[in-house]
Amino acid sequence: MLFHHSLALRRIFPFPHLYAGKGLRMPNSRATSRSLSPKTLSSVTGSDGAEKTPVGVRVRRDSARRIVEVAMDVPSGEAPVPVFDRLPDIEEFEYNPVKACESSTSGTTDILDTKRVKTISIKSKVTSIGQMEMPANWEMVLDGIKKMRFSGNAPVDSKGCEKAGSFLPPKERRFAVLVSSLLSSQTKDEVNHGAMQRLSEKGLVDAAAIVETDEATIAKLIYPVGFYLRKAKYMKKVAEVCLNKYGGDIPNSLDDLLSLPGIGPKMAYLVMNVAWRNVQGICVDTHVHRICNRLGWVSRPGAMQKTRSPEETRVCLQKWLPKEEWDPINPLLVGFGQTVCTPLRPKCNICTVNNLCPSAFKESPKPTPKSMKKQKLSKES
């Protein structure tokens, strides 16, 4: 029996003389133990404040917390006290104004809390008014964007949906705005404007005329708007409903607009704002959605994370943005997104509010002296 036991030991440790007097030690891995640094070992003290010499250290990890157990030379009859170094749960990173104030004044904030407070000071400093939370410096940012948009050189300024049928009588213009909004989804303003011009030349901004025209002709005229075949079908259905139910006019309520084929929240709010001068909500498209998230104006409920959809952005934005800004915010931010805060490689170097934007230069490189000199020479020429 002893012979078999010694053979087993030799299989595990083929060179026992290397381990003599050193104790057995398993290789380091995720599931095994590891030693703390000398600095950590030297900092271990007993309950009376005197330093104790650690005998061994074992670290056990799991997904929820990290436990460091230190075995020390202690008098007989006393058990070593485990030291817990627990990693915070993900919920603890959620912004809590009370905890943030306590952390900033106590002077005992650890490294993780310091990083959290630093992030909040940039992105999430808020001023509460009732149940609304208004981002810090939002008025300065909005004024800066308005000044940058003063030139009015963005495509939306001359070719946006609200420009459709501007020369028509009120009833026909409302229908033209509805059609233009329907075509605007996944389509640039320049392309949408061209499609509306071709429809106008053929007299197809009228519900009765669209009902009498086949889908193939409509699809050919509106091409290359996004999903032009599907939109041609929707145009026919919308025209039929408007003609039969509203006498060629369009619905004057948000719910009735949303019941039309192919009309979503963004289009419905835009039509209500432009056609009926009835502001019931903010029109949030891809530009407004992107820019509001870059500025830190919106976040998912209960978390400091970006909103996932334009509709989620609209709900969050309406909680704090004054209602007098609901109508102009769409063309303002759309034009800003078309000229400065573009989807790819935003022009942060020419943005006058980049010092107030938490996303500045994160998606575009910072200007180098060489690039600034080149830009200056190009302007002078």
Side-chain angles (χ1 to χ4, degrees):
M1 194 70 180
L2 292 173
F3 174 74
H4 290 297
H5 182 65
S6 62
L7 274 181
L9 286 175
R10 284 183 175 277
R11 286 175 183 172
I12 299 173
F13 304 106
F15 305 104
H17 63 281
L18 297 176
Y19 299 87
K22 298 181 179 180
L24 300 182
R25 183 179 178 183
M26 295 293 288
N28 286 335
S29 69
R30 291 182 64 186
T32 58
S33 302
R34 64 180 177 85
S35 299
L36 292 180
S37 63
K39 182 178 179 181
T40 307
L41 291 176
S42 62
S43 63
V44 177
T45 59
S47 59
D48 57 353
E51 286 197 359
K52 302 292 184 179
T53 304
V55 174
V57 177
R58 181 171 74 257
V59 177
R60 181 170 71 250
R61 294 181 178 179
D62 55 40
S63 59
R65 61 183 182 177
R66 183 179 72 207
I67 300 176
V68 180
E69 297 181 10
V70 182
M72 301 178 294
D73 284 335
V74 293
S76 59
E78 294 185 15
V81 180
V83 180
F84 296 95
D85 180 17
R86 187 177 64 81
L87 291 178
D89 295 330
I90 190 66
E91 288 83 2
E92 294 182 20
F93 286 99
E94 183 179 341
Y95 173 60
N96 186 320
V98 177
K99 289 184 178 179
C101 293
E102 291 175 354
S103 301
S104 61
T105 56
S106 64
T108 58
T109 308
D110 58 20
I111 295 175
L112 287 174
D113 286 336
T114 301
K115 290 182 178 178
R116 180 176 61 183
V117 172
K118 183 179 179 182
T119 303
I120 292 168
S121 66
I122 295 174
K123 292 185 178 180
S124 309
K125 190 182 292 182
V126 296
T127 303
S128 297
I129 300 180
Q131 294 183 347
M132 299 183 297
E133 294 183 345
M134 310 181 78
N137 303 317
W138 72 271
E139 290 175 302
M140 293 175 62
V141 173
L142 194 64
D143 289 341
I145 294 174
K146 288 178 180 178
K147 290 176 182 177
M148 286 186 279
R149 290 277 290 111
F150 185 74
S151 61
N153 58 350
V156 69
D157 296 325
S158 58
K159 301 176 181 179
C161 295
E162 61 274 11
K163 306 298 180 183
S166 55
F167 54 89
L168 296 173
K171 179 180 175 181
E172 287 76 8
R173 181 174 186 263
R174 287 193 290 268
F175 187 80
V177 170
L178 178 62
V179 172
S180 180
S181 301
L182 175 62
L183 299 180
S184 67
S185 176
Q186 302 293 320
T187 305
K188 291 184 177 181
D189 284 330
E190 303 92 320
V191 177
N192 188 33
H193 182 71
M196 287 301 298
Q197 282 187 322
R198 292 189 292 274
L199 288 173
S200 298
E201 291 170 359
K202 300 293 182 179
L204 295 178
V205 287
D206 177 75
I210 291 176
V211 169
E212 296 173 359
T213 307
D214 59 277
E215 286 182 20
T217 302
I218 296 173
K220 186 177 180 181
L221 289 171
I222 64 176
Y223 178 84
V225 300
F227 306 102
Y228 65 98
L229 293 175
R230 187 183 304 175
K231 288 176 180 177
K233 184 183 295 185
Y234 286 155
M235 277 183 61
K236 290 274 292 181
K237 291 181 179 179
V238 167
E240 290 173 1
V241 173
C242 290
L243 185 63
N244 297 330
K245 195 172 180 179
Y246 302 100
D249 208 339
I250 66 172
N252 62 356
S253 72
L254 190 66
D255 291 338
D256 290 338
L257 282 170
L258 289 170
S259 68
L260 296 175
I263 300 297
K266 180 203 86 169
M267 306 171 196
Y269 285 114
L270 178 65
V271 172
M272 289 297 298
N273 295 352
V274 176
W276 294 109
R277 297 297 177 188
N278 184 356
V279 180
Q280 295 193 12
I282 301 173
C283 173
V284 177
D285 68 347
T286 181
H287 293 289
V288 179
H289 173 59
R290 178 184 70 255
I291 293 169
C292 286
N293 274 287
R294 283 179 177 174
L295 291 173
W297 282 3
V298 294
S299 62
R300 291 167 58 184
M304 296 307 302
Q305 298 177 0
K306 292 183 177 182
T307 53
R308 292 169 291 188
S309 65
E311 182 61 13
E312 199 172 53
T313 296
R314 180 191 66 81
V315 173
C316 185
L317 194 59
Q318 287 182 184
K319 288 181 180 179
W320 64 266
L321 187 68
K323 194 167 183 179
E324 59 267 20
E325 300 289 350
W326 286 14
D327 183 32
I329 195 72
N330 176 266
L332 180 73
L333 293 187
V334 169
F336 183 60
Q338 291 173 339
T339 55
V340 179
C341 197
T342 51
L344 299 175
R345 295 180 294 277
K347 303 171 184 176
C348 299
N349 58 318
I350 65 171
C351 178
T352 59
V353 295
N354 57 22
N355 60 319
L356 300 173
C357 177
S359 304
F361 300 105
K362 291 185 178 180
E363 298 178 40
S364 62
K366 290 186 178 181
T368 61
K370 185 176 180 181
S371 63
M372 293 175 67
K373 184 178 179 181
K374 186 177 180 181
Q375 185 180 4
K376 184 179 180 180
L377 291 173
S378 62
K379 286 182 178 180
E380 291 176 354
S381 60

